[in-house]
Amino acid sequence: MAVSQNDNVTWLTQEAYDRLKEEYEYLSGPGRTDIAKKIEAAREEGDLRENGGYHAAKDEQGKMEARIFHLRQILDSAKVGEAPRAEGVVGPGMTVTIRFVGDDEEVTFLLASREESGAPIDVYSPNSPLGSAINGKKVGDKAKYTLPNGRQNEVEILDAVPYVGN
């Protein structure tokens, strides 16, 4: 499980680190070879200006190179283990419950890196507007953040406990 991307450190479980490293090794080795073969085969079909297969392969190559770059950044900054956490204080790796001020709606989510996959609850990034606003806050604190539409929203922290998985 990825639990944090904070202070240029990404906390990962051994399982998540191994999974991301395996993906990186595949994409940067056999994946690059496969896409180069697709591009070459499409190039041999003739006029590149009207060659949809060539352009699709080049787009795929660009996306793959971006993913390779992103994975390299994560792996370079990764620490395997658990992020230091204190119950009652919001931080990466914590299950957080908030209430929207002026509303009775409560939301519970895991504050973690977007590389966390398969969590049984929603995952919010510590780098998101909400995640940034509540990071470091304590139970009972309120925090304001700006929504993508420019409006302000305020939440109250109701609970923050270490995430324990399924």
Side-chain angles (χ1 to χ4, degrees):
M1 167 182 70
V3 290
S4 164
Q5 191 155 354
N6 188 359
D7 298 324
N8 296 324
V9 172
T10 302
W11 291 92
L12 300 170
T13 60
Q14 187 66 53
E15 175 189 15
Y17 181 85
D18 292 345
R19 178 176 44 83
L20 295 174
K21 186 169 176 146
E22 183 178 311
E23 181 184 358
Y24 173 80
E25 288 172 355
Y26 171 77
L27 291 177
S28 62
R32 278 185 172 147
T33 302
D34 292 346
I35 196 68
K37 287 177 184 174
K38 281 184 188 177
I39 291 170
E40 186 57 34
R43 184 178 285 144
E44 290 172 3
E45 292 175 9
D47 188 358
L48 297 182
R49 290 174 297 186
E50 297 178 14
N51 188 328
Y54 173 80
H55 294 291
K58 289 297 282 182
D59 286 347
E60 184 181 343
Q61 180 185 40
K63 289 175 186 174
M64 187 176 74
E65 289 300 326
R67 179 65 178 161
I68 290 169
F69 179 77
H70 182 71
L71 287 169
R72 183 75 263 154
Q73 287 183 311
I74 291 169
L75 293 169
D76 284 348
S77 67
K79 289 200 183 281
V80 176
E82 293 293 317
R85 302 178 290 198
E87 192 160 329
V89 179
V90 176
M94 300 295 282
T95 301
V96 181
T97 302
I98 59 169
R99 181 180 58 78
F100 293 94
V101 174
D103 190 347
D104 288 335
E105 182 184 0
E106 292 182 10
V107 177
T108 300
F109 56 89
L110 170 62
L111 189 65
S113 167
R114 68 187 177 115
E115 292 302 323
E116 169 57 41
S117 61
I121 62 175
D122 289 337
V123 178
Y124 286 47
S125 170
N127 299 325
S128 69
L130 174 59
S132 296
I134 65 173
N135 199 7
K137 300 281 188 198
K138 296 181 174 107
V139 171
D141 287 353
K142 292 182 181 177
K144 288 184 180 180
Y145 65 100
T146 304
L147 297 166
N149 65 9
R151 293 188 9 217
Q152 290 276 314
N153 208 0
E154 185 175 19
V155 296
E156 179 182 0
I157 313 304
L158 301 178
D159 199 14
V161 296
Y163 177 73
V164 292
N166 303 2

